Amino acid sequence: MSAGSNLRSEDQFLCSICLGLFTDPVSTPCGHNFCKICISKHWDWTNSCQCPVCNKVLETRPLMEVNTFIKEMVAHSSEQQAAEPGEVPCDVCTGPILKALKSCLVCLASYCQTHLEPHLTASRLKRHQLVDPVENLEDRMCLKHDKPLELFCKTDQTCVCSLCSVLDHKTHELVPLREEYEGKKAELRNTEAEVQQMIQKRQLKIQELRESMKTSKDALDREKAEGLQVFTDLMDIVERNKKSFMKEIEDKQKTTAKQAEDFIKHLEHEIFELMKRSSEVKQLSLSEDHLHLLQSFRSLKAAPPTKNWTEVRVHPPSYEGTVVRAVAQLEQNLREKIKKKLSEAELKRVQKSEVDLTLDPKTANSYLILSDDGKQVHCGDVKKNLPDNPERFSYAGCVLGTQSFSSGRFYFEVQVKEKTDWTLGVAREFINRKRDVSLSPNDGLWTVWLRNRNEYKALADPSVRLNLQPGPEKVGVFVDYEEGLVSFYDVDSAALIYSFTGCCFSQKLYPFFNPCPNIGGKNSAPLIICPVNQST
C-alpha cells in the first residue's frame, strides 16, 4: 500500500469536528462518524440535529451508541504507529507523537507516515536523502561544512563530507560510506565467527570441567564409601575383641563363683547332717533306758561323714595380663585387616590400568597351541610346521602379547588354575628368541614362575623363593614404565606376590607367557588372559 493510501486510511479515523482521532466514535443515521462528546456538544450549541458533514437535518435527536468496530480500528491504528520508548519519534507531530518512518539527511528531521507524505509527492523534496529512522541527525553532518557525511577517509579512519574530500583530504584514500560499511560488516562477521568459536571453546571447557568435577565427585563418593567400610570393619573387629575380652573375664568369674557355690552346698549338706546327729545325740543323752543308750552309743560315737575344710580356699580369679593379651590380639587382628584392606585398595588402583591383550601367533613357539580369540595358550605334544620368522621363539616354549608398551602404565590378569608349571611377566622387545631364554632382568625379562606345583620364584638376580601357600589361581601383572616397576599380584586374595623395582626400561615391553610342557597331561591346562573384575 502506498504512503498516500495509508494517509487516507488514517483520515478515516479523524473526527471532522475536533480533527483528532476518534474518542468513543458514534455514527449518525446519515452514515457519518464523530466523537460522541463532539457531536453531543455540537448539537447542544446549535440547538438542532443537523449533520456537520452533509447538513442533513434529523427530525429527532437520535440515541447515540458507540461504534465498537470503528473504536477498535482507531485503537489498532494508534498502537501500530505511536512511538514507543527507544523508537525514533516524529519531529513534526504535535498531538500524539507517532513513530518515525524515515529520517531526512537534508532536513535533519524524522517523519511519521503522515508527515513524510510531502517527501514522497513533492518533486523538490523527492531529491532529499531518506534513511531509516535515526536519532541525533546532527551527528551525521560535517561540523565544519554542514554537509552530510558521505565518504570515509581510510587514511585518517574518519567520516567526511564531499567538501572535506577536496579541501582537507584531497590526497587521502577516500571511499563511499557504503563500501567501507560493507568491508567493516565483513570484518564484524569474521569477528562474530571468531567470538562464537571462542564461546564454543569455553562452553566445551565448562562442560569438560563439569565432567571433571562429576568424575572427582564420583571418585570422592567411592573413596568415602570404601573408607567408611574399612573403618566399619575395623570397628567391628574392636567390638568383637571387646566382647571376647569381656566373655573371658566373666567366664573366669563364673568358674570361681561356681566353685564357691559348690563348696557352700557341700558345707550346707554337712551342717544339715551334723544338726541331725546333734539332735540324735541330745535325744539319746536324755534316755533313761540303759540298754538302749548302750546299744546306740557305738553308732553315734563313730566319726560323722564330714570333710576337713581347714585347707579349703576359694581363690579370686587372676586377671593379670588379660587386658594386655586382649589388646595384643586386637592389634594383630587390626594389622591383618588393615593389610588386607590396603592390599585390596592397591589392587583396585592398578586394575584401573587394565589393557585388552591378545597373544601374537607370529611369536609363538611351534609347540604352543593358541585359541582362536588369542586369549589362551597351552603346550602341545607335536611340533607344528611354522615359518621360522625372526619374531618366533624357536627354542623356548614362549609367546608374547601382540600389544607393546613404551610409556605409562598397563595391567593384565592371567588364570593359572590347575597348572603345575608356568612363567609370566614382561619382556623387552629385543631379546634373543632363537636360543634358550635366560629369565632375568639382565637379559630383558621380569618374570615369576611356578615349578613342580608348589615351587614359586621371582626370577630376579639372584632369584627369590616365594612362600605362596596356597598358590594363586589368577595372577595380575602391573607395569609402570616411567617408575621402572613390575609387580605381580594374587588377584583372589588381593596380595602382592613380588615387585621388581628400580628397573631401567629403554625398549618396548611385551607381555610374556610360557605355559611350560604339559608333562603327560598333568600341566595341560591353558594360561588364560582374563578380563579384569574391578567390582571385587
Side-chain angles (χ1 to χ4, degrees):
M1 183 181 290
S2 66
S5 61
N6 284 340
L7 181 59
R8 288 190 292 274
S9 296
E10 290 175 7
D11 289 343
Q12 295 174 3
F13 303 131
L14 299 180
C15 176
S16 57
I17 297 176
C18 68
L19 302 181
L21 291 174
F22 288 126
T23 301
D24 292 335
V26 295
S27 299
T28 62
C30 58
H32 296 105
N33 302 309
F34 307 93
C35 295
K36 184 176 183 179
I37 191 171
C38 291
I39 191 64
S40 296
K41 288 183 177 180
H42 175 74
W43 284 343
D44 290 342
W45 181 70
T46 59
N47 292 320
S48 67
C49 293
Q50 186 178 9
C51 176
V53 176
C54 65
N55 295 323
K56 182 177 180 179
V57 178
L58 305 176
E59 295 181 359
T60 60
R61 184 168 179 169
L63 179 63
M64 308 300 289
E65 297 290 343
V66 175
N67 190 322
T68 56
F69 175 74
I70 297 178
K71 183 176 181 180
E72 290 175 359
M73 293 296 293
V74 171
H76 179 71
S77 175
S78 177
E79 289 174 359
Q80 288 293 314
Q81 300 195 18
E84 299 290 341
E87 293 180 333
V88 178
C90 176
D91 292 326
V92 183
C93 288
T94 57
I97 306 300
L98 301 183
K99 179 177 67 174
L101 186 65
K102 292 289 183 180
S103 295
C104 178
L105 297 181
V106 178
C107 302
L108 296 182
S110 297
Y111 303 104
C112 65
Q113 190 168 12
T114 301
H115 296 114
L116 182 64
E117 183 71 14
H119 279 77
L120 301 176
T121 57
S123 58
R124 178 177 57 83
L125 296 177
K126 283 183 178 180
R127 294 192 293 270
H128 288 191
Q129 185 177 356
L130 298 176
V131 296
D132 289 336
V134 292
E135 293 182 318
N136 303 323
L137 285 166
E138 295 81 1
D139 295 341
R140 295 176 171 266
M141 303 298 291
C142 177
L143 299 178
K144 186 174 182 180
H145 304 112
D146 200 25
K147 292 279 188 181
L149 298 173
E150 300 173 335
L151 302 170
F152 183 80
C153 176
K154 298 177 76 69
T155 305
D156 292 341
Q157 291 292 301
T158 185
C159 298
V160 297
C161 68
S162 56
L163 286 178
C164 290
S165 65
V166 297
L167 296 177
D168 303 328
H169 298 263
K170 61 182 178 180
T171 60
H172 295 177
E173 182 182 359
L174 299 168
V175 295
L177 284 182
R178 177 168 291 278
E179 180 180 332
E180 185 64 20
Y181 162 84
E182 295 296 340
K184 289 295 188 287
K185 286 274 285 188
E187 288 184 22
L188 289 175
R189 284 193 295 268
N190 293 335
T191 302
E192 172 64 12
E194 293 174 0
V195 170
Q196 288 299 326
Q197 189 175 14
M198 293 171 66
I199 291 172
Q200 186 176 12
K201 286 182 178 179
R202 281 150 180 79
Q203 288 174 337
L204 290 174
K205 179 58 69 174
I206 289 174
Q207 183 178 354
E208 177 186 332
L209 291 173
R210 283 177 175 163
E211 290 176 355
S212 176
M213 289 171 60
K214 183 180 182 302
T215 302
S216 177
K217 177 65 166 54
D218 293 343
L220 170 65
D221 292 342
R222 287 194 302 270
E223 194 69 20
K224 286 169 65 177
E226 292 174 3
L228 182 61
Q229 186 60 51
V230 169
F231 283 104
T232 300
D233 292 344
L234 296 179
M235 290 170 65
D236 288 343
I237 293 175
V238 173
E239 187 64 26
R240 286 197 299 270
N241 278 258
K242 184 185 79 170
K243 289 180 178 179
S244 176
F245 164 74
M246 296 299 292
K247 185 177 183 304
E248 180 182 352
I249 60 175
E250 288 173 357
D251 286 349
K252 286 185 177 182
Q253 175 60 27
K254 288 178 181 179
T255 300
T256 302
K258 187 176 184 307
Q259 184 183 30
E261 288 172 359
D262 290 345
F263 286 159
I264 291 171
K265 287 180 180 179
H266 198 82
L267 285 167
E268 288 175 342
H269 178 71
E270 288 189 0
I271 290 172
F272 173 78
E273 293 296 330
L274 289 172
M275 290 179 68
K276 180 180 177 182
R277 189 178 185 83
S278 174
S279 176
E280 291 175 353
V281 169
K282 184 177 181 180
Q283 185 177 0
L284 186 60
S285 65
L286 297 175
S287 177
E288 297 294 335
D289 187 343
H290 303 141
L291 179 61
H292 174 67
L293 185 146
L294 292 174
Q295 289 176 339
S296 303
F297 182 79
R298 178 179 294 180
S299 61
L300 290 175
K301 186 67 174 176
T306 58
K307 179 181 179 179
N308 184 3
W309 294 92
T310 307
E311 302 299 329
V312 175
R313 296 285 188 276
V314 176
H315 300 284
S318 174
Y319 300 112
E320 183 178 353
T322 305
V323 175
V324 174
R325 288 192 300 274
V327 172
Q329 183 63 46
L330 172 61
E331 183 180 3
Q332 180 181 347
N333 292 343
L334 288 174
R335 187 180 297 112
E336 291 174 356
K337 189 68 174 181
I338 291 172
K339 181 179 179 181
K340 186 174 188 304
K341 286 295 181 181
L342 290 177
S343 297
E344 291 174 352
E346 172 64 14
L347 181 59
K348 286 183 179 180
R349 182 186 69 82
V350 301
Q351 283 178 330
K352 293 177 181 178
S353 301
E354 175 193 10
V355 291
D356 185 17
L357 292 184
T358 53
L359 301 169
D360 187 356
K362 297 193 302 296
T363 67
N365 181 275
S366 299
Y367 279 94
L368 297 185
I369 300 174
L370 276 60
S371 63
D372 292 338
D373 63 0
K375 297 291 186 180
Q376 302 185 26
V377 58
H378 68 278
C379 188
D381 295 323
V382 179
K383 182 177 181 180
K384 299 190 292 293
N385 185 17
L386 298 173
D388 189 20
N389 49 280
E391 299 91 349
R392 191 177 309 283
F393 287 92
S394 299
Y395 187 87
C398 309
V399 62
L400 299 180
T402 304
Q403 296 79 3
S404 65
F405 304 90
S406 56
S407 64
R409 302 172 177 177
F410 64 94
Y411 173 86
F412 60 94
E413 292 181 355
V414 182
Q415 179 178 302
V416 296
K417 185 179 180 181
E418 298 178 358
K419 292 193 67 62
T420 63
D421 301 77
W422 51 259
T423 306
L424 289 174
V426 293
R428 69 187 179 197
E429 182 177 14
F430 299 113
I431 58 173
N432 194 321
R433 308 184 189 192
K434 302 303 178 183
R435 60 175 177 81
D436 193 14
V437 179
S438 175
L439 302 176
S440 73
N442 289 335
D443 287 332
L445 289 108
W446 294 264
T447 58
V448 166
W449 82 8
L450 166 67
R451 294 293 184 269
N452 302 320
R453 198 176 294 276
N454 57 13
E455 297 176 8
Y456 294 91
K457 282 186 180 180
L459 302 178
D461 192 13
S463 61
V464 178
R465 185 175 295 276
L466 303 173
N467 183 20
L468 303 178
Q469 297 300 331
E473 294 187 351
K474 189 183 294 183
V475 176
V477 183
F478 172 72
V479 177
D480 188 327
Y481 196 98
E482 282 73 23
E483 288 293 324
L485 174 68
V486 182
S487 295
F488 297 83
Y489 295 87
D490 181 339
V491 176
D492 295 325
S493 64
L496 177 66
I497 295 175
Y498 186 80
S499 285
F500 294 88
T501 58
C503 308
C504 183
F505 303 131
S506 57
Q507 300 177 16
K508 293 179 180 178
L509 295 180
Y510 288 84
F512 177 88
F513 307 83
N514 184 350
C516 297
N518 61 26
I519 315 175
K522 295 180 181 179
N523 190 41
S524 60
L527 292 175
I528 304 174
I529 300 172
C530 304
V532 173
N533 182 7
Q534 298 186 24
S535 63
T536 57

